[in-house]
Amino acid sequence: MSEPFRVAVLASGSGSNFQAILDRLHQSPESPVRVVTLVASRPGIRAIERATSSGIPSVVLPDPKEGREAAAGRLGEALAEARADLVVLAGYLRLIPEEIVRAYWGRMINIHPALLPAFGGDGMYGRHVHEAVIDRGARISGVTVHFVDEAYDRGPIIAQWPVPVVEGDTPGELAARVLCVEHVILPAVVDAIARGHVELARSGMCVWNKPWFGGDRFVVEPDADPGSLAGSDESGARIRRPSTE
Ligand code: GRF
């Protein structure tokens, strides 16, 4: 068996995306991915419980009120100790310090619950994203996975997937539909990076050596009912064909 591909996950909350990586990759004998640490931005979060249940060590960062330098230093140390090949921000709410962005350039990714560059940036996290999508009247939202740079939600895009906004959606309902897709897309991207199928080129663009997230992968289901639009199976998400009636 070849060397494991070492992944560090950063989280600030529930950690359901972290769990998806554990279930689909870490626990799969076919996958080279091994999650070696969870870095939590605060104590007591559900993501830490998930790590403990799976025997994965976790590190809790100091509160930034005690000094940004201390928090940044501890994050840098935790990643270095983990000897991470890839750092995955899975619901991590703090901005990554510039020196760490530089050190992990092309090796640090984030998942965002909308189609960037729309509905991203400072303050666009959790429920705020879905509220903004609905308030603006957007008909399509989705999932974006991108490399991390110095700004929130701005780095080169790796993969995206559309998720319809359904008439009368509440932010919670939209969030749940988007989250189902996140749980498919994020492990798929981590796996693709681990296998060398995708990388950040010198040009600053993301390059897929093996096409995967093209439009032809969107399964169009004319009669899908809204409840099935998210699709959580391996074949990917589904998007309903616009009705001409
Ligand atoms: C997800 O919607 C992710 O896109 C965003 O934060 C949420 C985290 O959810 N960045 P979880 O902690 O993985 O359940």
Side-chain angles (χ1 to χ4, degrees):
M1 175 106 183
S2 56
E3 287 291 294
F5 186 81
R6 300 172 68 86
V7 172
V9 177
L10 275 53
S12 297
S14 150
S16 69
N17 278 289
F18 168 49
Q19 188 71 54
I21 293 171
L22 294 177
D23 294 346
R24 285 171 185 257
L25 303 177
H26 178 80
Q27 276 148 18
S28 158
E30 283 88 51
S31 170
V33 169
R34 291 297 170 265
V35 178
V36 289
T37 195
L38 172 80
V39 180
S41 63
R42 55 199 172 97
I45 61 174
R46 174 95 175 90
I48 297 175
E49 289 171 27
R50 295 181 194 271
T52 307
S53 305
S54 293
I56 290 166
S58 51
V59 171
V60 179
L61 298 179
D63 191 319
K65 286 185 202 134
E66 293 165 24
R68 286 188 178 277
E69 305 244 314
R74 188 68 193 98
L75 174 59
E77 275 168 23
L79 298 180
E81 281 161 14
R83 291 181 288 116
D85 296 307
L86 181 70
V87 180
V88 179
L89 277 56
Y92 182 74
L93 296 180
R94 290 194 199 161
L95 193 63
I96 302 294
E98 273 182 39
E99 63 275 19
I100 296 181
V101 169
R102 277 197 296 275
Y104 289 89
W105 182 241
R107 296 193 293 137
M108 181 179 280
I109 65 174
N110 178 47
I111 184 157
H112 184 75
L115 293 178
L116 294 174
F119 305 110
D122 199 4
M124 278 291 176
Y125 61 89
R127 195 180 173 85
H128 301 296
V129 179
H130 307 292
E131 275 169 2
V133 166
I134 291 170
D135 288 351
R136 190 60 193 265
R139 300 299 196 249
I140 303 285
S141 190
V143 174
T144 303
V145 180
H146 64 94
F147 287 109
V148 171
D149 75 2
E150 299 82 357
Y152 284 114
D153 305 326
R154 192 186 60 180
I157 290 172
I158 305 169
Q160 292 188 302
W161 203 275
V163 175
V165 181
V166 176
E167 192 64 36
D169 257 349
T170 62
E173 286 164 346
L174 179 57
R177 195 176 308 115
V178 169
L179 200 58
C180 280
V181 178
E182 294 185 48
H183 295 164
V184 177
I185 298 298
L186 185 60
V189 170
V190 171
D191 188 58
I193 293 174
R195 294 176 191 278
H197 293 168
V198 59
E199 62 190 359
L200 185 59
R202 278 174 182 276
S203 64
M205 293 283 291
C206 170
V207 177
W208 280 88
N209 305 314
K210 184 177 178 218
W212 204 83
F213 282 96
D216 54 345
R217 293 271 312 198
F218 302 149
V219 180
V220 176
E221 295 205 337
D223 302 320
D225 77 275
S228 75
L229 289 175
S232 56
D233 58 345
E234 285 297 343
S235 66
R238 303 183 181 94
I239 183 164
R240 187 154 54 165
R241 191 197 304 274
S243 170
T244 49
E245 290 167 11

